[in-house]
């Protein structure tokens, strides 16, 4: 087809006959909003359509083979390439079995053994202390420090009645939900380590 037949048309791609990179891909759902009135037939197999970008060309054109080539490979080369591809896909695959460290396995086992569901639908979960934490991290006496902090908190709340009311309400809620209970105020030592730990009250 002679390009002279397209003179006078403002083409969306003036260099449509030259191979180039793709600037933009549009889905078929937006095509109707791009088309304008105007269809022309050029030659025996080409049609141009008016769009908001200009005239676009569609149809079939004769093709010819520009060049051809062949590559011969040896069996060793094919085997090497196949092995490389296999390694690539194996690295990309998600392992069927999770790889857990010894600490992860212990933590998961402890969770399965100690986690229970109560009659009201709540879950009771034991804190995941490390294995042999009593030996590796002995608990030192803490009751006196916690008691001193508690007394300071009580004295501070005497001057803040509204905050004291809120604070006591939170403690009552803990008791009603069984998150807190009364215990004996003693500490016992076994091989230099306490059997309990007292959390100090945090003042605001």
């Amino acid at each position: 087809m002679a390009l002279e037949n397209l003179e006078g048309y403002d083409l969306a791609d003036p260099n449509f006959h030259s191979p180039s990179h793709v600037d933009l891909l549009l889905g078929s759902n937006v095509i109707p909003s791009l088309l304008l009135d105007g269809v022309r037939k050029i030659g025996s197999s080409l049609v141009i359509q008016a769009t908001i970008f200009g005239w676009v060309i569609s149809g079939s054109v004769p093709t010819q083979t520009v060049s051809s080539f062949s590559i011969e490979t040896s069996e060793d080369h094919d085997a090497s390439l196949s092995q490389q591809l296999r390694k690539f896909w194996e690295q990309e695959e998600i392992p069927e079995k999770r790889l857990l460290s010894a600490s992860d396995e212990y933590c998961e086992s402890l969770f399965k053994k100690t986690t229970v569901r109560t009659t009201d639908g709540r879950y009771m979960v034991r804190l995941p202390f490390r294995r042999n934490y009593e030996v590796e991290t002995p608990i030192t006496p803490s009751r006196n420090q916690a008691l001193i902090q508690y007394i300071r908190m009580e004295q501070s709340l005497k001057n803040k009645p509204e905050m004291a009311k809120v604070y006591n309400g939170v403690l009552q809620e803990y008791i009603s939900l069984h998150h807190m209970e009364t215990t004996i105020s003693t500490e016992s030592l076994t091989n230099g380590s306490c059997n309990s730990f007292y959390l100090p009250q945090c003042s605001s």
Side-chain angles (χ1 to χ4, degrees):
M1 181 197 72
L3 297 180
E4 291 78 6
N5 295 337
L6 298 175
E7 291 183 0
Y9 293 100
D10 184 16
L11 300 179
D13 182 12
N15 300 317
F16 70 94
H17 56 285
S18 301
S20 180
H21 65 279
V22 177
D23 296 316
L24 179 67
L25 289 177
L26 299 175
S28 59
N29 59 313
V30 301
I31 296 299
S33 62
L34 306 179
L35 300 179
L36 301 176
D37 294 335
V39 179
R40 303 289 187 273
K41 187 175 182 181
I42 303 297
S44 59
S45 59
L46 294 181
V47 173
I48 59 174
Q49 167 74 53
T51 71
I52 61 175
F53 302 116
W55 293 83
V56 296
I57 302 174
S58 61
S60 60
V61 294
T63 60
Q64 60 181 0
T65 302
V66 177
S67 61
S68 61
F69 62 93
S70 62
I71 298 177
E72 295 183 1
T73 60
S74 63
E75 292 183 0
D76 293 340
H77 181 272
D78 290 342
S80 176
L81 179 60
S82 176
Q83 186 177 7
Q84 292 177 8
L85 288 174
R86 185 182 301 108
K87 288 183 178 180
F88 171 78
W89 289 116
E90 289 175 353
Q91 292 176 354
E92 293 297 317
E93 289 181 355
I94 300 177
E96 296 181 0
K97 184 178 181 180
R98 291 185 302 164
L99 302 178
L100 300 178
S101 64
S103 297
D104 291 336
E105 291 180 352
Y106 169 73
C107 185
E108 186 170 334
S109 174
L110 180 67
F111 177 84
K112 292 179 179 178
K113 292 179 180 179
T114 61
T115 300
V116 296
R117 191 171 187 179
T118 61
T119 55
D120 59 355
R122 292 176 175 270
Y123 286 93
M124 294 180 60
V125 182
R126 182 177 176 181
L127 293 178
F129 290 107
R130 292 186 305 174
R131 190 196 310 265
N132 300 325
Y133 75 93
E134 299 93 341
V135 178
E136 298 175 357
T137 311
I139 298 177
T140 58
S142 57
R143 182 176 182 274
N144 288 338
Q145 295 178 357
L147 181 59
I148 293 173
Q149 186 64 39
Y150 173 76
I151 294 174
R152 289 177 181 175
M153 171 66 76
E154 289 293 307
Q155 292 176 346
S156 175
L157 291 175
K158 288 180 180 180
N159 301 324
K160 303 174 183 177
E162 292 297 326
M163 184 175 293
K165 182 179 180 181
V166 175
Y167 177 79
N168 292 326
V170 172
L171 296 183
Q172 290 299 322
E173 181 181 8
Y174 283 175
I175 294 175
S176 63
L177 295 175
H178 303 290
H179 294 170
M180 182 172 68
E181 62 183 6
T182 303
T183 62
I184 57 175
S185 300
T186 60
E187 285 183 323
S188 60
L189 294 175
T190 303
N191 297 326
S193 177
C194 291
N195 65 341
S196 59
F197 181 80
Y198 292 82
L199 294 175
Q201 298 291 332
C202 298
S203 60
S204 57

